[in-house]
Amino acid sequence: NRRNKVLTIDTMNPNVKNVEYAVRGPIVQRAVQIEKELREGVKKPFTEVIKANIGDAHAMGQQPITFFRQVLALCSYPELLKDNMFPEDAKSRARRILQACGGSSLGAYSASQGIDCVRQDVARYIERRDGGVPCDPDNVYLTSGASDGIVTMLKLLVCGEGASKTGVMISIPQYPLYSAALAELGAVQVNYYLNEEKCWSMDLSELERSLAEARKHCNPKVLCIINPGNPTGQVQSRQCIEDVIRFAAKEHLFLMADEVYQDNVYAEGCQFHSFKKVLFELGPQYSNTVELVSFHSTSKCYMGECGFRGGYMEVINMDPEVKAQLIKLVSVRLCPAVPGQALMDLVVNSPQPGEPSYTTFMKERTTTLSLLAEKAKLTEEILNTVPGITCNPVQGAMYSFPNISLPQKAIKEAKALGQAPDMFYCMKMLEETGICLVPGSGFGQKDGTYHFRYGHRSLLKHVITTSLSVKWASIPK
């Protein structure tokens, strides 16, 4: 006579059932189980799991920036301000942040849009980055990581039913946050494919094709760009960004620019160009009309502070009435994580020449970025030595997305198991070598092609080379 459950798989929100997030999907769940088995003494052909599935910098051994952690320690426990072991510039940053917090405590709520002085610092940082292009702090919203801002904006943008339902154009391959958020919101995912043969570049003709096809069944009004790219590691040229902006203006599309890897540019001849800077340099015809929101985060670049969940978004040319609704929407979540806001402030207001922490800060920053550049180059070189694997140059970000040429017998066996062929490959890789990868099918790819995403932070040359070669040899031919 037990009462039936109110919430069942049949009565739950159907959109949630459509959500998939490959970066923390079945492969990673199995990796966690294997780690537990290793701790319990179960014998494996390896002694540890190498998590190459995710850009979790500190988990992979990257050291935190000393200045950031000093200031955060001071903010978390202000009694340390009396301690002479901390440099004066760290203390002054901590005092300024604490004075802006309710009760001079990180434990207090902040304004929903974020701490005012932090938004001012973000605005000044954007102006410096973009060569003097003005930034209004009122257009800056602090977020709990870039993901929080991206989902918030999609909530504002998605509406309609049937043929009027909002379509959101996303690159394929894409970061699965986008497809997951669109599934949850019941929006229409509109795919446009990056050109693998041209180092994952974006072709204007492909955007036009994708938009024309989408307009037959939905109302596409959003274009999302990830630059530098995740999972593909490309850096879009200035000409490409100009083309995208002109395309968005012509087709009346709202632009979302995910720029969280803006400091991670490695390849010679490549340079990061912010969408906002290019937009304003194109002149008032575009800068006064094109609606743009751009995102940044404390989780990537040289910081790698994923767990603090700090970030911001800047909105350009947003309708004032919609802006009021955005403020209402962010008010519902009360405020972004305050320690994350403090960390974001340190990223945009880092030590300057003449300050006590400047030399150490610059040394750590330069060392981290140099090591990432070295690993990006090694990743490309190593992967291209393995038979059956080809990898484009890793121009930026923290990942490569190599192509794997799976034999027909392996594809047939995978399908018999009900798995995507690259999932089959990655699962065998995990079980037999301990390397945790994410299959390309979790990011999207052209039909008939297979890939995996590899986070080059985890590069261990001898392990990766040997394991990939051994695993390739064991794939059914």
Side-chain angles (χ1 to χ4, degrees):
N1 295 322
R2 288 188 307 170
R3 179 184 175 190
N4 291 334
K5 299 286 187 185
V6 173
L7 181 62
T8 69
I9 196 69
D10 295 321
T11 62
M12 69 176 288
N13 182 344
N15 288 339
V16 174
K17 289 189 281 187
N18 294 328
V19 171
E20 294 183 5
Y21 187 63
V23 175
R24 293 181 181 242
I27 292 276
V28 181
Q29 293 165 17
R30 176 58 186 146
V32 171
Q33 292 175 347
I34 290 174
E35 285 183 316
K36 182 180 178 183
E37 291 170 6
L38 287 170
R39 288 194 299 270
E40 293 172 347
V42 177
K43 297 298 181 183
K44 302 280 185 183
F46 48 88
T47 58
E48 65 174 327
V49 173
I50 298 174
K51 294 180 178 176
N53 63 298
I54 196 165
D56 193 348
H58 294 176
M60 289 291 102
Q62 180 177 308
Q63 294 304 301
I65 299 295
T66 300
F67 181 77
F68 294 168
R69 290 302 182 90
Q70 286 176 330
V71 179
L72 290 170
L74 291 163
C75 288
S76 298
Y77 189 56
E79 283 294 309
L80 293 174
L81 288 164
K82 302 173 185 177
D83 197 315
N84 291 329
M85 71 175 289
F86 292 91
E88 191 54 42
D89 53 348
K91 289 183 177 181
S92 65
R93 296 294 201 289
R95 291 188 188 102
R96 181 169 180 266
I97 292 168
L98 288 173
Q99 287 168 6
C101 295
S104 295
S105 172
L106 289 188
Y109 289 127
S110 76
S112 297
Q113 197 169 340
I115 298 171
D116 186 58
C117 73
V118 178
R119 291 191 294 112
Q120 291 174 14
D121 287 347
V122 169
R124 284 192 286 267
Y125 162 82
I126 292 171
E127 288 180 356
R128 291 193 305 271
R129 181 198 69 185
D130 293 343
V133 176
C135 179
D136 185 346
D138 284 342
N139 290 334
V140 173
Y141 296 75
L142 302 183
T143 59
S144 294
S147 300
D148 173 40
I150 291 166
V151 173
T152 296
M153 286 306 305
L154 288 173
K155 287 179 180 177
L156 281 178
L157 285 157
V158 172
C159 65
E161 295 294 334
S164 68
K165 183 172 284 189
T166 297
V168 179
M169 301 178 68
I170 64 173
S171 60
I172 299 296
Q174 52 100 28
Y175 176 46
L177 164 70
Y178 290 91
S179 56
L182 296 178
E184 183 180 355
L185 295 170
V188 179
Q189 177 177 320
V190 177
N191 297 337
Y192 65 89
Y193 291 89
L194 301 178
N195 190 332
E196 185 171 8
E197 288 70 35
K198 295 182 179 179
C199 204
W200 300 111
S201 63
M202 185 184 302
D203 292 339
L204 192 59
S205 60
E206 172 59 13
L207 289 179
E208 292 168 343
R209 179 208 63 78
S210 173
L211 182 65
E213 286 295 315
R215 282 179 169 159
K216 297 175 183 178
H217 60 87
C218 69
N219 177 26
K221 61 182 183 183
V222 189
L223 173 57
C224 298
I225 312 289
I226 307 174
N227 181 51
N230 176 10
T232 43
Q234 87 286 0
V235 179
Q236 300 295 0
S237 68
R238 181 192 168 89
Q239 183 61 55
C240 174
I241 294 172
E242 288 185 11
D243 290 343
V244 169
I245 291 171
R246 291 190 177 100
F247 175 78
K250 175 188 172 186
E251 302 295 349
H252 201 56
L253 298 171
F254 191 107
L255 272 176
M256 293 178 61
D258 182 338
E259 298 175 332
V260 304
Y261 296 99
Q262 57 190 257
D263 289 327
N264 299 115
V265 178
Y266 317 120
E268 187 175 346
C270 290
Q271 181 182 348
F272 170 74
H273 301 278
S274 80
F275 264 79
K276 182 188 177 184
K277 184 175 188 288
V278 177
L279 174 67
F280 276 75
E281 290 178 348
L282 286 174
Q285 176 187 356
Y286 297 98
S287 62
N288 290 341
T289 59
V290 174
E291 295 156 88
L292 167 70
V293 58
S294 56
F295 306 91
H296 195 17
S297 166
T298 64
S299 299
K300 308 303 177 185
C301 299
Y302 64 94
M303 302 85 72
E305 295 280 12
C306 306
F308 278 97
R309 311 309 302 134
Y312 73 75
M313 62 182 181
E314 182 192 12
V315 297
I316 305 294
N317 293 322
M318 178 172 277
D319 184 290
E321 291 183 338
V322 175
K323 198 171 178 182
Q325 295 298 314
L326 172 57
I327 292 172
K328 180 182 73 175
L329 186 58
V330 299
S331 298
V332 173
R333 54 133 200 233
L334 298 179
C335 70
V338 176
Q341 294 185 55
L343 179 59
M344 189 78 255
D345 187 68
L346 303 176
V347 172
V348 299
N349 186 23
S350 57
Q352 298 301 303
E355 291 188 309
S357 300
Y358 178 74
T359 300
T360 299
F361 170 77
M362 288 304 296
K363 180 181 179 182
E364 292 177 345
R365 182 186 190 276
T366 302
T367 299
T368 299
L369 290 175
S370 296
L371 185 59
L372 286 170
E374 179 185 343
K375 287 189 173 184
K377 183 64 175 174
L378 278 173
T379 296
E380 173 197 344
E381 292 174 353
I382 291 169
L383 290 174
N384 281 320
T385 65
V386 181
I389 297 179
T390 56
C391 181
N392 270 318
V394 183
Q395 298 174 333
M398 296 177 182
Y399 314 99
S400 60
F401 199 66
N403 187 299
I404 49 178
S405 301
L406 291 173
Q408 283 301 314
K409 188 173 180 181
I411 295 171
K412 185 177 180 180
E413 186 172 329
K415 291 181 177 178
L417 294 171
Q419 293 181 345
D422 44 19
M423 169 67 87
F424 171 78
Y425 173 86
C426 289
M427 192 62 81
K428 287 181 74 68
M429 174 73 71
L430 175 63
E431 295 287 354
E432 298 183 27
T433 72
I435 298 177
C436 182
L437 304 169
V438 190
S441 49
F443 298 89
Q445 54 198 349
K446 284 189 175 180
D447 288 344
T449 68
Y450 308 107
H451 302 80
F452 60 80
R453 188 184 79 164
Y454 173 67
H456 64 249
R457 285 185 185 275
S458 59
L459 180 65
L460 298 170
K461 184 174 181 180
H462 64 288
V463 176
I464 299 297
T465 307
T466 302
S467 296
L468 285 170
S469 298
V470 168
K471 171 65 7 257
W472 192 257
S474 72
I475 290 293
K477 303 296 191 295

